[in-house]
Amino acid sequence: MSVADEIFAVFGRRGAQAYFGERVSITEHSLQAAHAAQVEGAPPSLVVAALLHDIGHLLEDVPDDIAEWTVDAQHEEIGSRWLATRFAPAVCQPVGLHVPAKRYLCAIDARYVAQLSPASVRTLELQGGPMSAPEVAAFENEPFFRDAVRVRHWDDLGKRVGLTTAHLTEYRTLLESLGNR
Ligand code: FE
């Protein structure tokens, strides 16, 4: 199975589920994040990172209703590990850092905290809250931290009801050009 077919199967199985606490499905959310990356003229690796940033949610059995969450599912690490066997670090590293990027932005930018959705505020607590100063310094030493912050912004933009985007299958060529199996 090609990497694109594998990804389409993963989305096909669970992508129609609601995106936790938001009014779009996980597939719609992912397509909107990729769309936002393309609108900004992001490189192909980051368009794919945006598209697949939440694939960890689709690989894991976590409750649909955010109110049932008692621990963070660490979907970014699950997703990043899965992607690491299929794509270069330029794709999987920003995915693995997109939740730390939220904790980072909450620590350095008060306006960022103010615009988070209610569901995102709820998960922030489960994810450890805003970073401490030493955590901020360590995060800024991560080779892909800037890319992770970009993915985070596209993630936050991907919650608009009714936005028209490309279909998932339109990413086949891009996924297969970057995938290594
Ligand atoms: Fe997301």
Side-chain angles (χ1 to χ4, degrees), residues 7 15 30 38 61 85 111 123 145 179:
I7 287 163
S30 302
Q38 288 175 303
D61 283 319
T85 61
R111 287 167 309 172
T123 50
F145 95 90

Side-chain angles (χ1 to χ4, degrees), residues 61-167:
D61 283 319
V62 291
D64 269 356
D65 186 347
I66 204 160
E68 294 172 19
W69 286 24
T70 51
V71 291
D72 182 57
Q74 291 179 331
H75 72 282
E76 76 280 11
E77 288 176 22
I78 294 159
S80 179
R81 274 200 298 274
W82 192 87
L83 292 170
T85 61
R86 293 162 176 85
F87 293 96
V91 173
C92 63
Q93 291 285 321
V95 171
L97 293 174
H98 85 275
V99 173
K102 171 180 160 187
R103 297 186 54 230
Y104 170 75
L105 287 167
C106 287
I108 65 156
D109 186 352
R111 287 167 309 172
Y112 181 79
V113 186
Q115 55 80 51
L116 287 178
S117 66
S120 203
V121 170
R122 168 88 181 101
T123 50
L124 175 65
E125 292 168 32
L126 298 173
Q127 289 155 348
M131 283 184 174
S132 64
E135 286 176 317
V136 165
F139 185 70
E140 288 176 346
N141 273 325
E142 294 279 354
F144 290 96
F145 95 90
R146 287 179 205 283
D147 288 342
V149 167
R150 296 186 79 189
V151 169
R152 184 75 230 175
H153 279 301
W154 302 324
D155 181 1
D156 293 329
L157 289 172
K159 298 173 179 177
R160 289 168 288 181
V161 176
L163 182 77
T164 302
T165 63
H167 190 269

